Amino acid sequence: MTTRLPLAALFAAILCGTASAQMARTEPQDGPGKETASKQVPLSRGEIQLSFAPVVKRAAPSVVNVYASHVDKRSNARASAMDEFMRRFFGEPESGRGPRGDRAQKSLGSGVLVDGSGLVITNAHVIDNMNEVRVALSDRREFEASIVLRDSRTDLAVIRIKQPPAGLAPMPFGDADKLEVGDFVMAIGNPFGVGQTVTQGIVSALARTQVGSADYQYFIQTDAAINPGNSGGALVNLQGQLVGINTAIYSQSGGSHGIGFAIPVSMVKAVVTAAKDGQTVVRRPWLGARIQNVTPDIADSMGLDHPTGVLVASLQAKSPAEESGLKRGDLILTIDGQVVDDPEAFGYRFALKGTSGQTKLGILRGTTRQSVMVKLITAPETRPRDSLKVRARSPFLGASFVNTSPAVAEDLQVDFPTEGVAVEAVDEGSIAARAGLQKGDIVVAVNGLPIATTKDLDRVTRTTPGAWEVVINRGGEVMTSIFSG
């Protein structure tokens, strides 16, 4: 007859390392071979007092509060007049301004100490557009911090305490790949600014890819309560190790509905390593191939029992993918032995490989399984970007453009085009924005003239035609629009 640990004893074994766990009685249920653990009251004071407190004591000192602000300097006279106007007509309190009448935008989030030198990992959106950052430790001491690196594609950022005190307690990294659905985890952060708060739950799902808060979609889902202010805080396993950075929630009310998402620690380590190496941007490997999802029909046609992997749709000339021997129609199943089920999982796994050495892709070509070695390099900038900010009145006024190259395509997350110039940014409310231009659009031609470089576009925008015929490539779809002059 087999036996099972009662829940209390299981917690004792996990949290306290107890070697003498009380075994539960089992009774047969509905026939031979079917038995279950019987319920019973705690048998000792130790079982009654079981708690997550030992884990919290190890992890909590590593979690900090992050206060960020963007202050616009204003003159005293102008600020005083504006204050009076806002109070009279809109009831705005004076507390929205600094002592000199400076207007401030503020952001509140959490962060995790990852190095004794004062490095803190947080979410990029916590410090987005901010120019002043402060960090409050768990003992309420506050310090000024500087921004070391922001990586909007992962929604991660690294900040550094300017004058770090002695005795900082960085949190050790865990292994997110060892997490399983059902594992206990804790979320530690500063929700709603109430102060450091710990919530407990389980891993609800792994490899979530439809969250939409970053380019690299591969999140840990948990039902541990995560609320506004928890962003950048720690998701911790029962060894007190960091397994994720809490970044988003699914909510219709703004509060926790038990569906929270964390960026796996594997990606966190890559961003922290880049910051420690003195980088201001995170460099990732370039494959040079367009991949697509495997539908049930494609899986059936390839003899697969279920959709898995990613299909190579096209290859760029002289790219690592082409030079490795990959071919159009190959099905990529694994990266260094780790299964990839969709383009998001492939992008996440490939991005973690760094930009030196090689990685092994397991592929299916026809009915034959084989492997290819892909060189890990950054996307090349095959020609200067020659950035252009259009200032002449035209449909492009308020947009910035760069010459295309594999590096630009990687930065903008678009397929590398053979011609045209890329829209790098569009000012909000500008003529270009009202014309419908978007970041990542490729301008191919204007008024029948091919646009190969930003110099071509600059010359065209200095003319004053009666109308503008603009041809753009957006995600592979070529569109033509007509605008008045």
Side-chain angles (χ1 to χ4, degrees):
M1 179 178 293
T2 61
T3 57
R4 299 178 183 174
L5 285 172
L7 185 59
L10 179 60
F11 279 164
I14 293 174
L15 294 176
C16 306
T18 268
S20 57
Q22 174 68 34
M23 306 301 286
R25 296 182 299 274
T26 59
E27 299 176 359
Q29 297 284 325
D30 301 326
K34 296 184 178 180
E35 52 191 31
T36 184
S38 62
K39 297 179 180 179
Q40 62 186 43
V41 298
L43 300 179
S44 68
R45 178 179 293 274
E47 290 187 4
I48 295 173
Q49 294 176 337
L50 287 176
S51 168
F52 289 103
V55 183
V56 175
K57 287 178 181 177
R58 287 196 295 271
S62 304
V63 181
V64 302
N65 297 340
V66 177
Y67 303 95
S69 61
H70 182 95
V71 180
D72 291 326
K73 304 299 182 182
R74 296 167 178 259
S75 68
N76 286 339
R78 182 183 175 190
S80 178
M82 182 62 73
D83 283 342
E84 181 64 23
F85 176 81
M86 297 298 284
R87 282 197 301 274
R88 283 191 178 187
F89 294 98
F90 297 99
E92 180 179 294
E94 292 184 72
S95 58
R97 300 179 185 276
R100 297 183 306 276
D102 300 339
R103 179 179 289 276
Q105 296 174 316
K106 296 183 179 180
S107 173
L108 171 67
S110 305
V112 182
L113 282 162
V114 292
D115 189 86
S117 66
L119 282 183
V120 173
I121 189 81
T122 186
N123 280 140
H125 73 257
V126 170
I127 61 169
D128 192 30
N129 296 321
M130 301 298 168
N131 55 17
E132 295 182 4
V133 181
R134 294 187 64 83
V135 167
L137 304 183
S138 60
D139 61 10
R140 305 170 87 177
R141 287 181 294 168
E142 290 193 14
F143 302 89
E144 290 186 2
S146 58
I147 298 171
V148 177
L149 181 153
R150 304 184 220 218
D151 187 47
S152 59
R153 296 181 65 183
T154 58
D155 193 22
L156 290 172
V158 178
I159 59 179
R160 185 190 299 276
I161 297 174
K162 290 183 178 180
Q163 295 181 324
L168 290 177
M171 186 177 294
F173 291 135
D175 188 347
D177 287 333
K178 291 183 178 178
L179 284 179
E180 295 183 311
V181 174
D183 283 351
F184 282 106
V185 287
M186 288 177 289
I188 308 178
N190 182 21
F192 297 110
V194 299
Q196 190 176 87
T197 301
V198 181
T199 56
Q200 174 266 326
I202 64 169
V203 174
S204 304
L206 295 167
R208 286 296 194 213
T209 59
Q210 302 300 318
V211 179
S213 65
D215 288 345
Y216 291 98
Q217 299 282 305
Y218 202 82
F219 295 94
I220 302 165
Q221 182 182 327
T222 179
D223 66 346
I226 297 174
N227 286 289
N230 271 108
S231 291
L235 190 70
V236 179
N237 63 17
L238 292 189
Q239 287 72 50
Q241 299 169 330
L242 183 69
V243 292
I245 293 295
N246 301 318
T247 189
I249 58 174
Y250 178 83
S251 175
Q252 295 178 332
S253 66
S256 174
H257 287 183
I259 304 177
F261 302 97
I263 301 167
V265 71
S266 302
M267 186 62 77
V268 174
K269 287 192 284 188
V271 174
V272 171
T273 298
K276 287 183 175 181
D277 289 344
Q279 300 177 30
T280 56
V281 295
V282 180
R283 298 296 181 190
R284 298 181 175 86
W286 174 53
L287 180 64
R290 185 169 63 87
I291 58 176
Q292 68 180 60
N293 203 21
V294 177
T295 65
D297 288 342
I298 292 175
D300 185 60
S301 69
M302 300 187 75
L304 301 174
D305 56 5
H306 68 281
T308 186
V310 294
L311 196 65
V312 177
S314 63
L315 299 128
Q316 295 177 26
K318 299 180 181 179
S319 67
E322 185 188 64
E323 293 176 353
S324 73
L326 273 176
K327 298 182 183 300
R328 185 174 180 273
D330 284 347
L331 184 67
I332 303 174
L333 300 171
T334 61
I335 299 180
D336 285 335
Q338 293 179 307
V339 175
V340 291
D341 285 327
D342 51 41
E344 289 79 13
F346 178 87
Y348 170 80
R349 294 291 181 193
F350 192 68
L352 295 178
K353 293 303 173 182
T355 56
S356 63
Q358 294 181 314
T359 189
K360 182 168 71 172
L361 305 185
I363 68 171
L364 178 66
R365 180 174 293 164
T367 58
T368 304
R369 289 179 182 258
Q370 52 188 283
S371 61
V372 297
M373 300 301 297
V374 175
K375 188 176 181 180
L376 297 170
I377 62 171
T378 57
E381 199 150 294
T382 51
R383 58 176 178 165
R385 298 195 179 207
D386 284 340
S387 297
L388 168 68
K389 180 67 176 284
V390 175
R391 304 189 186 281
R393 185 166 183 84
S394 69
F396 311 105
L397 179 60
S400 300
F401 298 85
V402 291
N403 291 329
T404 54
S405 69
V408 168
E410 284 290 300
D411 290 346
L412 299 180
Q413 285 296 280
V414 296
D415 291 332
F416 175 60
T418 57
E419 57 186 3
V421 297
V423 179
E424 187 178 38
V426 180
D427 293 343
E428 186 177 352
S430 66
I431 290 178
R434 295 198 296 272
L437 282 181
Q438 300 177 11
K439 180 180 177 179
D441 284 349
I442 309 298
V443 179
V444 177
V446 178
N447 291 338
L449 300 174
I451 302 298
T453 68
T454 54
K455 289 184 174 61
D456 294 338
L457 184 61
D458 187 35
R459 281 194 296 269
V460 169
T461 57
R462 293 177 185 277
T463 63
T464 54
W468 298 86
E469 181 187 74
V470 180
V471 180
I472 66 169
N473 181 329
R474 178 177 294 167
E477 180 183 357
V478 177
M479 302 179 292
T480 300
S481 299
I482 305 295
F483 304 96
S484 61

